[in-house]
Amino acid sequence: MPCPTPARISPARQYGVNSQPAANLKEYEMIQGWTERAAHQALMVVLASCIGVSFAKADSAEATGTVEVAGIENYLAYSGSKLPNGGKVTALVKATFEAMGMKVRIGFLPRKRAYADTKNGKYLASFPWFQDEEREKDFLFSDTLDSTAGGVVVPTSSDLQFFSRQSARRKKACDLLGSHFQSQLFIDEQVTVTRVTDLSQCLKMIKEKRIDFYFADFSSVSKEILGTEAKIIPTDLDLVLKMHLIISRNHPQAQKMMADFNRELMAIKKNGATN
């Protein structure tokens, strides 16, 4: 039976309160206020229990030696259902769980859904994610799975030959939905950021001159991809981004699972093999 949503909870039906009008306004307001508070409390209990059920199911799956992991769909060469072996990071994650003695089922999801479903316990873990302060509130982060260096993509017509922090002042940029990288990097520069689900949308906006710049992995912006309308320029900003696997802090075995994952990840990297 699915967990109820707020719309399915009726305070009067749940607590047996007479739904007929009260004898006077004061009595009605007293009952109405009581039922609203009671309904809110009931909803919190129900939602908490639903999250508990999700993690209980995850524990049960882990006990049988099989874990469910969410990979981000269509993330460059690192993760995606259409990539060989699911991408280079996917192969590493799978090998690490197998080294832990577990079978792993990987589902590829949009970023937002992968984040939410891992947070509430439907999946044990998700990857690849960049670490930031907002995400650290919800998740534990593994040691680095892989890293990527990048540059700044601007329209070919731009006069910029080098990109500094000052170059971003009052400019329009593009970034992935859910990413806090640029908002943390440019605190005082008044950058306007458009959020998208795929970086190819950022390139399209560059070519249409709707934005001034965006950060891109070097592997994703070849001359053929950039075409004649966009170019990549160097920068003194630190654009080396590290990718991680995340596990919800709400998971009852989060600390142990992450410690075991990091131990096997280190061993695999030391041996230089991902099977």
Side-chain angles (χ1 to χ4, degrees), residues 89-108:
V89 171
T90 301
L92 179 58
V93 168
K94 185 177 181 181
T96 303
F97 276 113
E98 289 175 348
M100 293 166 63
M102 294 181 170
K103 295 180 181 179
V104 57
R105 287 195 293 264
I106 297 176
F108 293 99

Side-chain angles (χ1 to χ4, degrees), residues 73-80 83 87 148 199 216-217 219-220 243:
E73 179 64 292
N74 194 30
Y75 187 71
L76 303 179
Y78 303 103
S79 172
L83 297 172
T148 177
L199 285 178
D217 183 320
S219 66
S220 70
M243 301 174 215

Side-chain angles (χ1 to χ4, degrees), residues 189-201:
E189 281 72 25
Q190 301 176 14
V191 177
T192 301
V193 181
T194 299
R195 308 288 178 182
V196 297
T197 56
D198 191 292
L199 285 178
S200 63
Q201 296 170 270

Side-chain angles (χ1 to χ4, degrees), residues 163-203:
F163 195 91
S164 65
R165 188 181 299 274
Q166 187 62 30
S167 304
R169 186 164 183 79
R170 296 180 180 176
K171 293 293 194 301
K172 296 177 182 178
C174 179
D175 201 359
L176 288 169
L177 185 68
S179 172
H180 305 282
F181 179 70
Q182 291 194 33
S183 59
Q184 292 179 1
L185 183 63
F186 301 124
I187 297 175
D188 301 318
E189 281 72 25
Q190 301 176 14
V191 177
T192 301
V193 181
T194 299
R195 308 288 178 182
V196 297
T197 56
D198 191 292
L199 285 178
S200 63
Q201 296 170 270
C202 292
L203 180 57

Side-chain angles (χ1 to χ4, degrees), residues 69-146:
V69 177
I72 297 177
E73 179 64 292
N74 194 30
Y75 187 71
L76 303 179
Y78 303 103
S79 172
S81 58
K82 297 180 181 179
L83 297 172
N85 299 316
K88 57 187 297 189
V89 171
T90 301
L92 179 58
V93 168
K94 185 177 181 181
T96 303
F97 276 113
E98 289 175 348
M100 293 166 63
M102 294 181 170
K103 295 180 181 179
V104 57
R105 287 195 293 264
I106 297 176
F108 293 99
L109 306 173
R111 295 169 61 86
K112 187 175 181 180
R113 183 178 164 196
Y115 190 100
D117 283 357
T118 304
K119 182 180 177 180
N120 68 28
K122 184 174 181 179
Y123 293 90
L124 167 69
S126 181
F127 70 93
W129 293 92
F130 300 129
Q131 191 167 359
D132 64 41
E133 294 177 359
E134 287 298 314
R135 292 172 185 160
E136 285 178 343
K137 296 175 183 178
D138 297 323
F139 296 97
L140 298 179
F141 282 74
S142 73
D143 292 340
T144 302
L145 297 172
D146 204 339

